[in-house]
Amino acid sequence: MDHNGNTELRENSFWRKYLFSADHKTIGKQYLWLGLIMALVGGILAYFMRKQLAWPESETLTPNVYNAFVTMHGTIMVFFVAMPILLGCFGNFLIPLMIGADDMAFPRLNMLSFWTFFVGTLLLILSFFVPGGAAAAGWTGYAPLSAKPIYTGVNWGLNLWILSLALEFASVLMGGVNFMTTAITMRAEGMSWFRLPLMVWMQLSAAIIFMLSVGPTIAAAVLLLLDRLVGTGFFVPAQGGDPLLWQHLFWFFGHPEVYVVLLPGFGVLLEILPAGSRKPIFGYRIIIYSTLVAGVLSFIVWAHHMFVSGMNPNLSMPFSITTILISVPFAIVIFAMIATMWRGSIRLTTAMSFAIGTLMTFLMGGVTGIFNGSAAVDIFIHDTYFVVAHFHYTLFPATFFAAFAGIYFWFPKMFGRMLNETWGKVHFWLTFVGFNLVFLPMFRLGMAGHMRRLADPTQYNFLSTESIKSTQIFITWAAIGLLIGQAPFIVNFLRSIVAGEVAEENPWQANTLEWSTASPPPHGNFEVRPIVHHDPYNYSSPDADSDWLPQDQSLEEITT
Amino acid sequence: MATEAHDHPNYFMVWVVLLLLLVVSLAAAYMPFSQTLTVILIFVIAAVKALLVASFFMHLKIEGKLILAIAIVPVILFVIMTISLLPDIVYNPVETATQKLEAPKSTVH
Amino acid sequence: MHGTQANVQPRPEFGKLGMWWFLASEIMTFGGFLAVYILYRAASGGGWTETAEHVSIALGSINTFVLLTSSLTIVKSTEAVNQGEYDRAKNYLGWTILLGVVFLAIKGVEYTSEIRHGFTPITNIFWNFYFALTGLHALHILVGIIINLVLYIGAVKGTLWREDLGHRIEVAGLYWHFVDIVWIFLFPLLYLSY
């Protein structure tokens, strides 16, 4: 609405500038703050769970509270950390800058999207403090456990959980509409589809996947809420409902959601790796096509979460096949990333370290995913710590390693100052080592038959052995280390906003359009609307004097 | 706008056809056909009605490929989802509660 | 500079495109509801027929007629905007709002008589679905009425035409037609297939 240079957005009061701003950069930063604070909440929940698991005799958490913490940890980390940072922050901040637009297509819708998200977050936090406590039916909210308040003893906690998720979905839908409309209609002159930075491609793919998959889950959530509030029986067997259908409808969205989080994470890597290796990206179009194929496949793999749910066994084989199939396009993208670094002159910045760390850890997650995806193997390891280890090896790299890589990379553009590199490296090593020490032993626990979501494993004899106990204690110490390892980041982040070294326009000597404007960019982003002459990864081009060639600089300008 | 370049469809005629289809579907529901035939008939008619509204009232007939794709892909996805759930919810060898649902109490009249 | 297309499109396209993206997710949401209903009903093997006979086909048919007509009036309004006949556009929009209200009124009469006959939202699973599906649809109608009302007020005041925002009627129309299409499927699903 404000696209053609309307003056409507010339806002200067404090409220309009920092709080109720419709500027995509401010909204992106608001999402970042929200995501980081919620990450802290999720981390603290994880600490209490780990303490309970290592020393069950300490009775840190009662089983009910433990269930609530498991549920809320999952919900917060996926929906209120990964989504706001990877889509809300990077998507909102970068898409208009990278395509050379002055803002989103619908700036006020964008603001509404953030504040809807914010209210959703508040409701979720609030649910801890209502009588009965927070939702305790797992982040998947499986019916019939979730369908009647008496089953978990949680009444309003779970209702609020559904409401806050509904607000979150509505917010991301608004964001997705904005992303798509912006990228389709507002690209700068010369920015054809195959000159778009891969980050934009990944954000768009994620937005499309989200918009097309979330519907059935919204439907199921409304029906579940009716079951709880009105007394209908959509998912209650005694009243003619079928709880299995909840699982189907949840995972129809729940699985694509993994890719909604993962693809923007990949987008971060695909920007950092070429800039950090001073080489063009390997297989630009192949990466795009692979992503699209993976996007299509992501809609037909969901039932691999349900091999032991009692669903029709005839469905297992088709879903096993599609699940293993989807690893092919992702493997292609990973290989393209590795080939991009191959023989490059690598600049091992903190952002680059985190990017490489993402690759290494995600690879483990991907490979173990093939175990889980095969129905025969899954029957053995289903619902054990093997699965916990697996999905932390996929989602932690996307949510944290890739997000940290992105934060270290785009911090100068967001705040106009540099993060301290030395402390960044310390943060990287603490996170990388800490993460692997926490989750690698969990594979072993899973193979030993250790079930998930147990508040007190020692109630089983086979989980009371000295070996299992010492592993649990080891994991807990590692997790404490991982949490403490975030302190350098927090201090570095807060300190650098006010006292960091002032950033220049293009500190990483990268090519995409956001580096061709001031740091931080002014309202309206560009002094002169850029014209795009090249694809975004023109590093070490023999035609140019320097080893980078910004997208908006024509070769004639440089050579003459 | 682009629509002005095209001949406007006669919206009134589309509306008349829609109403005719409504009457036909009502007639089909009251005819002594077999249940299968009735169900097929009324849903084919519903699909035709939806198609008419989408292509003329919502201008899908003259929209570009992109908007056409945005409209069609979710419909295809919905069909795929429903079909792939059939074996589980409807034909599951493990008898589910839904199948055992007794006819509801007819005492409440 | 290369021969790539000029990428900045006129403003009306913004709203239309955004609305279509929104409708895509709406199709999936209603698709989810309809899928649950269809699957359960198929699984029941005809067990719902007896209870499903108690819906009022007459009122359902009248409501179908009302909604189809309101679709005609809003598309006529869009047509009038494109021809610059703002007064006619305003009147057609007014008719659309009125028909929407009539739809809700009839729906209210239906609900009242059903509940009075003992068919409440928790009677059995068919009535669970009946009230959930028609209730959500009615909610969408309500939202549509509010949107149309805001535009109508703008049309009466003339701000809609002065600020050249007439294309918003077309965007609102897309939503209204979509809600109409949902009803086109709900009608046979809930009323006719007993």
Side-chain angles (χ1 to χ4, degrees), chain A residues 240-255:
Chain A
D242 189 343
L244 207 53
L245 197 58
W246 166 267
Q247 295 196 23
H248 276 299
L249 295 177
F250 178 84
W251 286 116
F252 184 83
F253 158 72
H255 195 79

Side-chain angles (χ1 to χ4, degrees), chain C residues 97-132:
Chain C
I97 295 168
L98 194 68
L99 287 167
V101 174
V102 169
F103 177 91
L104 286 186
I106 294 177
K107 200 74 231 161
V109 170
E110 254 185 288
Y111 280 163
T112 327
S113 97
E114 276 146 6
I115 291 172
R116 203 171 282 162
H117 285 87
F119 300 108
T120 66
I122 51 169
T123 302
N124 60 43
I125 193 142
F126 173 79
W127 291 97
N128 291 172
F129 272 114
Y130 173 83
F131 281 99

Side-chain angles (χ1 to χ4, degrees), chain A residues 191-444:
Chain A
M191 180 64 90
S192 59
W193 282 108
F194 286 111
R195 281 182 183 168
L196 274 182
L198 284 167
M199 180 66 170
V200 180
W201 271 103
M202 294 291 160
Q203 291 283 353
L204 296 188
S205 312
I208 293 179
I209 293 174
F210 184 87
M211 285 199 278
L212 292 180
S213 65
V214 78
T217 304
I218 294 180
V222 170
L223 297 179
L224 187 72
L225 199 60
L226 289 176
D227 276 1
R228 296 179 62 85
L229 292 179
V230 183
T232 56
F234 297 110
F235 301 114
V236 185
Q239 289 169 259
D242 189 343
L244 207 53
L245 197 58
W246 166 267
Q247 295 196 23
H248 276 299
L249 295 177
F250 178 84
W251 286 116
F252 184 83
F253 158 72
H255 195 79
E257 166 69 17
V258 175
Y259 303 116
V260 173
V261 172
L262 186 62
L263 290 180
F266 275 6
V268 172
L269 300 199
L270 289 165
E271 297 303 322
I272 293 175
L273 290 176
S277 314
R278 316 311 294 166
K279 266 185 69 195
I281 195 96
F282 184 90
Y284 174 84
R285 288 196 181 210
I286 298 292
I287 293 174
I288 294 172
Y289 296 142
S290 301
T291 309
L292 297 180
V293 169
V296 172
L297 282 175
S298 74
F299 285 96
I300 45 173
V301 298
W302 77 87
H304 65 215
H305 293 270
M306 301 168 55
F307 288 142
V308 298
S309 67
M311 74 169 180
N312 191 328
N314 295 330
L315 280 176
S316 296
M317 181 60 92
F319 279 102
S320 274
I321 291 172
T322 53
T323 303
I324 292 167
L325 213 57
I326 203 171
S327 63
V328 175
F330 280 118
I332 292 174
V333 177
I334 298 273
F335 280 126
M337 290 180 190
I338 296 171
T340 302
M341 288 189 289
W342 181 252
R343 295 191 158 182
S345 45
I346 290 179
R347 296 179 181 174
L348 210 56
T349 56
T350 310
M352 190 67 178
S353 312
F354 268 108
I356 298 169
T358 314
L359 266 185
M360 292 169 72
T361 42
F362 178 77
L363 212 58
M364 287 277 294
V367 170
T368 50
I370 297 179
F371 296 18
N372 293 325
S374 327
V377 185
D378 183 71
I379 287 169
F380 176 64
I381 51 182
H382 191 92
D383 234 346
T384 67
Y385 270 86
F386 191 91
V387 177
V388 177
H390 155 72
F391 68 70
H392 280 94
Y393 261 98
T394 53
L395 285 172
F396 195 100
T399 314
F400 290 104
F401 282 102
F404 283 139
I407 291 170
Y408 280 99
F409 195 68
W410 281 294
F411 187 90
K413 194 50 69 179
M414 289 179 185
F415 298 98
R417 292 174 186 273
M418 309 290 288
L419 280 168
N420 183 304
E421 280 287 309
T422 317
W423 283 108
K425 294 273 171 51
V426 172
H427 174 220
F428 167 72
W429 281 109
L430 288 174
T431 311
F432 185 77
V433 174
F435 167 77
N436 283 295
L437 290 183
V438 172
F439 292 102
L440 212 51
M442 282 195 193
F443 285 117
R444 186 180 156 273

Side-chain angles (χ1 to χ4, degrees), chain A residues 81-98:
Chain A
V81 177
M83 300 288 273
I85 294 182
L86 290 166
L87 274 104
C89 169
F90 292 147
N92 274 311
F93 187 82
L94 291 174
I95 288 178
L97 280 169
M98 280 183 159

Side-chain angles (χ1 to χ4, degrees), chain B residues 24-70:
Chain B
V24 173
S25 65
L26 277 172
Y30 279 112
M31 286 288 176
F33 297 143
S34 74
Q35 207 198 3
T36 327
L37 187 63
T38 314
V39 167
I40 290 173
L41 258 179
I42 57 176
F43 283 106
V44 167
I45 292 169
V48 173
K49 274 157 78 183
L51 220 59
L52 282 175
V53 173
S55 41
F56 293 107
F57 288 175
M58 299 172 93
H59 303 123
L60 268 189
K61 217 171 140 75
I62 50 171
E63 285 299 357
K65 274 187 213 142
L66 175 72
I67 287 188
L68 210 60
I70 300 176

